[in-house]
């Protein structure tokens, strides 16, 4: 493996480490009434966003600072890196990146929505983790 590839691998692993941290926080769930589903869904969204950015880094794909998962999936698709169709559901998590992080007029986030967001994040991270292992 060349120097640039090693550097990219290390950077990608840092992105993935951050993604796993967000996923771990999302998995903790609503451990008290003070924790909002919106906030733990944000952690699920962040886990997916950072994991997809790890894939971009390892493949030398430049990305803009954006919290849009659709944008990241499209970038990967353009570079011929195809996510399995079931992972395209991750696009739904984009709303948790900005819209629900602050008080506002949006649909109430409930336990079912949280569990769905967590399931999606776990699937994406597993796929990314499995694919980065192939790069070792």
């Amino acid at each position: 493996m060349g120097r640039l590839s090693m550097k990219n691998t290390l950077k990608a692993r840092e992105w993935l480490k951050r993604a796993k941290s967000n996923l771990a926080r999302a998995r903790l769930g609503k451990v008290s009434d003070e924790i909002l589903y919106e906030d733990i869904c944000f952690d699920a969204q962040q886990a997916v966003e950072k994991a997809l950015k790890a894939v971009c880094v390892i493949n030398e794909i430049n990305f803009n600072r954006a919290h849009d998962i659709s944008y990241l999936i499209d970038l990967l698709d353009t570079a011929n890196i195809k996510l399995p169709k079931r992972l395209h559901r991750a696009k739904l998590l984009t709303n948790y990146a900005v819209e629900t992080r602050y008080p506002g007029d949006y649909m109430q986030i409930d336990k079912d929505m949280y569990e769905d967001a967590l399931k999606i994040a776990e699937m994406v991270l597993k796929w990314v983790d499995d694919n980065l292992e192939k790069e070792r």
Side-chain angles (χ1 to χ4, degrees):
M1 190 179 292
R3 270 181 45 181
L4 183 58
S5 295
M6 179 59 80
K7 181 179 176 186
N8 285 2
T9 300
L10 294 174
K11 283 173 95 174
R13 292 207 177 285
E14 281 298 313
W15 277 101
L16 190 57
K17 179 180 178 181
R18 293 297 186 112
K20 288 178 178 181
S21 175
N22 284 112
L23 182 60
R25 289 188 344 188
R27 283 180 174 146
L28 291 175
K30 195 166 167 53
V31 294
S32 82
D33 288 339
E34 293 178 333
I35 294 174
L36 302 173
Y37 283 120
E38 290 86 335
D39 292 339
I40 49 182
C41 284
F42 172 65
D43 275 318
Q45 183 279 336
Q46 284 290 284
V48 169
E49 178 183 328
K50 291 171 185 175
L52 294 179
K53 287 179 176 178
V55 177
C56 288
V57 168
I58 199 77
N59 289 285
E60 299 182 347
I61 300 167
N62 294 323
F63 52 86
N64 295 328
R65 286 184 153 208
H67 299 296
D68 187 343
I69 292 171
S70 294
Y71 160 74
L72 293 169
I73 291 173
D74 289 346
L75 265 183
L76 294 171
D77 190 50
T78 301
N80 237 5
I81 300 165
K82 309 290 185 205
L83 267 70
K85 283 288 185 200
R86 66 185 175 13
L87 299 186
H88 283 248
R89 290 188 58 229
K91 295 175 182 179
L92 300 171
L93 303 186
T94 295
N95 289 337
Y96 300 130
V98 180
E99 188 176 319
T100 64
R101 282 180 47 202
Y102 305 102
D105 188 25
Y106 51 81
M107 183 173 55
Q108 182 73 32
I109 309 301
D110 62 21
K111 183 179 180 181
D112 289 340
M113 295 166 81
Y114 155 70
E115 288 174 351
D116 190 46
L118 181 60
K119 181 180 172 184
I120 291 168
E122 288 175 333
M123 288 188 310
V124 171
L125 262 78
K126 180 175 179 355
W127 181 83
V128 171
D129 211 12
D130 290 349
N131 282 284
L132 284 184
E133 280 301 309
K134 294 175 189 172
E135 297 295 326
R136 285 183 130 188

